[in-house]
């Protein structure tokens, strides 16, 4: 069973995976950082506007909201790119596993044929 995993690991294009890993990791960290920073800013803004009078003019609040929507759209696009990259890597792994499954089936057929041949030879040798 361990031999199957070793063969599966050999089929994965590790050069591509290793090459893409720093970019994916950097994108994930950036996405996480911007998401957490955006949540902190939103909480601070909510506290400022909690008083009876608005802390900042409506036009400035509107511009702030537009900027925030633009940042959220950018984060969404980055998330989509990250998901796309992970999906492509997952597809490569699935293809490698499928190839291994087919090779495993062929190997089991070959082992069965060899076992039957060995048993046949043993029976023939014992009858001689």
């Amino acid at each position: 069973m361990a031999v199957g995993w070793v063969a599966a690991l050999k089929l994965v294009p590790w050069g591509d995976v290793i090459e893409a890993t720093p970019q994916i990791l950097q994108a994930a960290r950036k996405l996480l950082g911007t998401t957490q920073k955006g949540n902190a800013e939103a909480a601070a803004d909510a506290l400022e506007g909690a008083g009876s009078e608005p802390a900042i003019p409506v036009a400035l609040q509107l511009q702030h909201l537009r900027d925030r929507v633009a940042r959220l759209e950018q984060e969404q696009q980055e998330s989509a790119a990250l998901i796309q990259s992970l999906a492509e890597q997952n597809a490569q792994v699935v293809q490698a596993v499928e190839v291994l499954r087919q090779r495993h089936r062929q190997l089991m057929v070959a082992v069965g044929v060899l076992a039957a041949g060995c048993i046949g030879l043993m029976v023939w040798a014992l009858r001689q």
Side-chain angles (χ1 to χ4, degrees), residues 3 101-113:
V3 174
R101 189 182 64 79
Q102 291 173 355
R103 287 183 181 175
H104 179 262
R105 184 182 305 145
Q106 292 171 351
L107 182 61
M108 289 297 111
V109 169
V111 167
V113 169

Side-chain angles (χ1 to χ4, degrees), residues 29-85:
R29 285 182 180 159
K30 180 180 176 186
L31 181 62
L32 182 62
T34 56
T35 303
Q36 289 175 346
K37 185 177 82 174
N39 289 340
E41 288 176 358
D45 290 344
L47 288 176
E48 284 180 17
S52 59
E53 293 184 25
I56 52 177
V58 174
L60 196 56
Q61 289 178 354
L62 183 59
Q63 183 59 40
H64 174 73
L65 289 175
R66 286 181 180 153
D67 292 344
R68 182 158 169 77
V69 167
R71 280 195 315 266
L72 288 172
E73 288 175 348
Q74 180 64 31
E75 289 176 14
Q76 183 180 13
Q77 290 174 354
E78 290 173 359
S79 296
L82 180 62
I83 290 169
Q84 173 76 23
S85 176

Side-chain angles (χ1 to χ4, degrees), residues 2-18:
V3 174
W5 283 106
V6 171
L9 293 175
K10 287 181 181 178
L11 289 176
V12 174
W14 289 110
D16 296 341
V17 173
I18 290 170

